[in-house]
Amino acid sequence: EMCIRDRARRRAIELLEDTGISAAAERVDHFPHQFSGGMRQRVGIARILTLGSRVLLMDEPFGALDAQTRLTMQELLLSVWQKLKPTIIFVTHDIDEAIFLSNTIYVMSARPGRIQSKLVVPLARPRTVADTASEAFSAMKLEILNLIRHTHG
């Protein structure tokens, strides 16, 4: 029979692999400072999921990443969501990122921040980068830009 610690370690390795960390079994004992920015984000997602959380709160998590790593992390988040279906509350100022990742977008007003609009994203899942070039994506982006301009003067 496997002890709790061994079960937790096995689950951690599974989730590290789910979040795109190759050779997770060899890296499971690494410290956060030993990983790149993108890897740290992956470890953070895996850590929350290992704790059994069904909800992830992500506040501008990819803001400091370069464009290529950011896209990789967005695609990773979509695949983690597709597999595990956690509820993800994702805060971002990036409209494209919001549309690409979300089922529902809440647009907030300027100070004091209040929810001004709720929009349902009309894109099917699973999503790919090609969706960002679709007519539905562009129409939604324009709608959000108009809402923001109207709200923020």
Side-chain angles (χ1 to χ4, degrees), residues 6-151:
D6 290 341
R7 267 201 312 270
R9 184 180 183 85
R10 192 177 69 202
R11 178 78 177 133
I13 290 168
E14 280 173 24
L15 286 164
L16 286 170
E17 287 170 353
D18 285 348
T19 56
I21 296 180
S22 56
E26 292 91 65
R27 296 174 181 230
V28 76
D29 294 315
H30 282 46
F31 289 98
H33 72 271
Q34 294 174 289
F35 291 111
S36 67
M39 285 290 201
R40 272 192 217 116
Q41 292 296 341
R42 292 166 197 252
V43 170
I45 293 167
R47 182 184 309 142
I48 291 165
L49 295 171
T50 301
L51 296 172
S53 179
R54 301 292 303 139
V55 179
L56 276 72
L57 172 58
M58 304 183 81
D59 188 359
E60 297 276 358
F62 308 146
L65 303 176
D66 62 82
Q68 186 177 348
T69 305
R70 185 179 189 127
L71 178 59
T72 302
M73 291 305 300
Q74 290 169 350
E75 290 173 321
L76 168 80
L77 190 61
L78 287 174
S79 82
V80 167
W81 182 85
Q82 198 68 40
K83 183 173 183 181
L84 303 172
K85 299 284 196 301
T87 296
I88 302 173
I89 300 167
F90 194 98
V91 179
T92 184
H93 287 84
D94 185 315
I95 296 170
D96 290 48
E97 182 170 68
I99 299 168
F100 185 49
L101 296 176
S102 304
N103 289 329
T104 307
I105 296 173
Y106 295 90
V107 178
M108 294 186 69
S109 65
R111 293 176 207 271
R114 303 252 188 273
I115 293 175
Q116 172 204 336
S117 302
K118 175 185 175 184
L119 306 168
V120 176
V121 179
L123 304 174
R125 290 192 184 268
R127 302 229 173 110
T128 66
V129 176
D131 289 312
T132 64
S134 71
E135 211 171 293
F137 190 100
S138 296
M140 175 150 252
K141 184 173 181 175
L142 186 60
E143 182 180 358
I144 293 169
L145 286 167
N146 285 329
L147 281 168
I148 290 169
R149 185 173 38 195
H150 176 75
T151 308

